[in-house]
Amino acid sequence: MTVHPAPTALWPAPHASGAVDATVHVPGSKSVTNRALVLAALASEPGWLRRPLRSRDTLLMAGALRAMGVGIEETVSSASSVSGERVTGEAWRVLPTDLHGPATVDVGNAGTVMRFLPPVAALADGPVRFDGDPRSYERPLNGVIDALRVLGARIDDDGRGTLPLTVHGAGALDGGPVEIDASSSSQFVSALLLSGPRFNQGVEVRHIGSTLPSMPHIRMTVDMLRAVGAQVDTPESGGEPNVWRVTPGALLGRDLTIEPDLSNAQPFLAAALVTGGKVLIPDWPARTTQPGDRLREIFTEMGGSCELTDYGLEFTGSGAVHGIDVDLGDVGELTPGIAAVAALADSPSTLRGVAHLRLHETDRLAALTKEINELGGDVTETADGLHIRPRPLHGGVFHTYEDHRMATAGAIIGLAVEGVRIENVATTAKTLPDFPDLWTGMLGAA
């Protein structure tokens, strides 16, 4: 686990004086925005992204595509919300072009950027160098690097299987069949599928690992590919287990309105659960591939209730928070927030199926164990998750390890525990800009 620096820029986590009652407009989905940017950049005609998330991860993705020649124009437009209202917001017009190097890509610590763009760079004419934050050097990329080499790409990584690296684009890529082990990240599969329509032979990705986390994210990739005209065969559509095939072909430009980020809605729903209050998230989609949609089921089991209306999702806490025994393998990004709620519950919890979180923005299992325990908690790290026994907690510094979901987990605990101070809450800008203002605004509405 990354050693945290001396605590600086401590943010006093607001303590809830009563039940929250608020409407929170959650910004657009990072996962959808970054996939949409890649598909629009590879399309045969211009496209629009309306109400995109504007955060560090998405701006890094846009900047990387611009470095390879893609035009991305920012403007203001109006679009229909789920509830039928006309909503004015930012829009990005994406103008695809022949990709080219030399270019330099800063991935920050964004898994989608570091994994989705090397296949794109293989289609560019010229070298594209990838670099990022120090933590990005520790995150595995071998699944993408090795697969691209099999498919015909030339990549220099000095044999590390991690950043920094250079993709020597040749303007095209043969493609074809490839075997990968995506046990550490489903993004390895998505990365190859997203660019697959532009490979000369398309791509056939066969996962040969023992587990495959975050399947909803692969389904999101497949749905978005099909929406822009790609032909994709999947295990769910009658294909072989653990095999995805993408046929070569042109991609259409789309006019896409980005859904709210349901995983980023988690701390606000948790606030209703922890305080016995009520939070409304407008424009929660009736059908979605976002992993965050499972919060409706998980937080209901932990003591809340929810109603999905034409306007959005209304979530209400009962005043009691119950422990849970749950496999989060498909929705691992929800683990920090669920762990925070579990630490405030009336019975123990076991969170399973998330060994891969040790390779995320930080080692999330070790970080959650250490930080909750330092506030008086009783968390034990297991082989594939956490066991949490609720105990009375006290104030203290909650370190974030430059991990946005650690910061929001600390904020959840701070609602019920006075004196929690969060180190570097600004790291939430990775996917949830203006989180402190949204958080205090929610409490101000109580």
Side-chain angles (χ1 to χ4, degrees):
M1 183 175 69
T2 305
V3 176
H4 58 71
T8 57
L10 299 180
W11 182 65
H15 181 69
S17 58
V20 303
D21 185 356
T23 297
V24 181
H25 291 268
V26 177
S29 164
K30 179 262 294 185
S31 298
V32 175
T33 299
N34 274 358
R35 282 166 173 79
L37 279 169
V38 171
L39 292 172
L42 296 176
S44 59
E45 56 191 352
W48 285 92
L49 276 65
R50 302 188 191 274
R51 300 172 68 189
L53 175 66
R54 186 181 178 85
S55 71
R56 187 185 186 214
D57 278 16
T58 60
L59 292 175
L60 286 168
M61 179 67 85
L65 292 169
R66 285 185 178 117
M68 287 186 270
V70 178
I72 302 176
E73 300 174 350
E74 301 181 24
T75 185
V76 175
S77 72
S78 64
S80 294
S81 69
V82 172
S83 55
E85 298 175 300
R86 297 301 291 177
V87 179
T88 299
E90 188 169 4
W92 293 348
R93 187 167 186 249
V94 182
L95 306 169
T97 187
D98 291 334
L99 302 168
H100 60 76
T104 299
V105 168
D106 176 10
V107 309
N109 191 19
T112 52
V113 181
M114 70 179 73
R115 291 167 181 150
F116 291 177
L117 288 189
V120 176
L123 298 168
D125 186 6
V128 180
R129 177 172 171 78
F130 289 79
D131 208 338
D133 297 352
R135 170 62 182 173
S136 71
Y137 292 11
E138 303 173 35
R139 301 184 68 181
L141 280 179
N142 53 296
V144 173
I145 294 170
D146 294 346
L148 286 174
R149 286 179 174 143
V150 170
L151 298 173
R154 184 161 72 90
I155 301 174
D156 292 337
D157 68 333
D158 294 331
R160 291 183 306 271
T162 62
L163 293 170
L165 59 85
T166 298
V167 179
H168 295 275
L173 194 68
D174 289 342
V178 65
E179 294 184 344
I180 65 169
D181 183 348
S183 300
S184 60
S185 176
S186 68
Q187 290 175 352
F188 293 166
V189 175
S190 288
L192 298 171
L193 299 184
L194 286 168
S195 293
R198 289 285 304 273
F199 299 165
N200 294 338
Q201 302 172 43
V203 71
E204 176 188 287
V205 180
R206 184 179 299 269
H207 167 60
I208 57 172
S210 56
T211 61
L212 185 56
S214 303
M215 276 297 296
H217 278 128
I218 295 179
R219 287 192 284 271
M220 176 187 294
T221 297
V222 170
D223 280 5
M224 293 183 69
L225 276 162
R226 287 173 173 162
V228 294
Q231 181 179 328
V232 189
D233 295 323
T234 70
E236 293 86 353
S237 60
E240 294 180 62
N242 292 324
V243 177
W244 294 262
R245 294 184 180 89
V246 180
T247 301
L251 298 178
L252 307 173
R254 272 205 67 192
D255 190 324
L256 176 67
T257 299
I258 306 296
E259 298 173 353
D261 193 312
L262 307 188
S263 294
N264 278 340
Q266 180 181 38
F268 305 101
L269 300 180
L273 184 56
V274 167
T275 69
K278 180 172 65 176
V279 167
L280 174 65
I281 308 291
D283 294 326
W284 192 288
R287 178 192 173 276
T288 181
T289 52
Q290 287 193 61
D293 193 46
R294 233 189 115 195
L295 288 167
R296 293 190 288 158
E297 167 199 336
I298 294 169
F299 277 172
T300 295
E301 187 173 342
M302 296 186 81
S305 61
C306 64
E307 181 182 4
L308 186 59
T309 69
D310 290 342
Y311 188 74
L313 181 73
E314 185 175 287
F315 187 85
T316 306
S318 63
V321 180
H322 309 310
I324 192 171
D325 187 329
V326 62
D327 188 324
L328 299 175
D330 276 353
V331 292
E333 65 196 48
L334 304 180
T335 302
I338 293 169
V341 172
L344 304 170
D346 58 13
S347 57
S349 294
T350 300
L351 314 184
R352 310 175 186 276
V354 286
H356 60 287
L357 294 190
R358 295 187 172 97
L359 301 169
H360 275 220
E361 281 80 347
T362 187
D363 179 342
R364 284 178 171 165
L365 300 184
L368 287 164
T369 300
K370 183 176 185 297
E371 297 309 314
I372 294 173
N373 286 352
E374 287 191 353
L375 299 183
D378 184 1
V379 181
T380 303
E381 192 173 341
T382 67
D384 72 337
L386 300 172
H387 186 62
I388 302 168
R389 302 170 192 83
R391 291 175 54 179
L393 302 181
H394 55 72
V397 175
F398 195 92
H399 299 97
T400 61
Y401 309 87
E402 299 184 4
D403 184 337
H404 55 133
R405 301 208 191 279
M406 287 296 295
T408 53
I412 292 167
I413 292 174
L415 289 174
V417 180
E418 292 193 59
V420 174
R421 293 170 295 155
I422 297 174
E423 176 202 39
N424 189 20
V425 73
T427 194
T428 53
K430 184 177 193 295
T431 63
L432 186 52
D434 304 322
F435 169 73
D437 289 342
L438 286 170
W439 196 246
T440 54
M442 170 193 71
L443 293 171

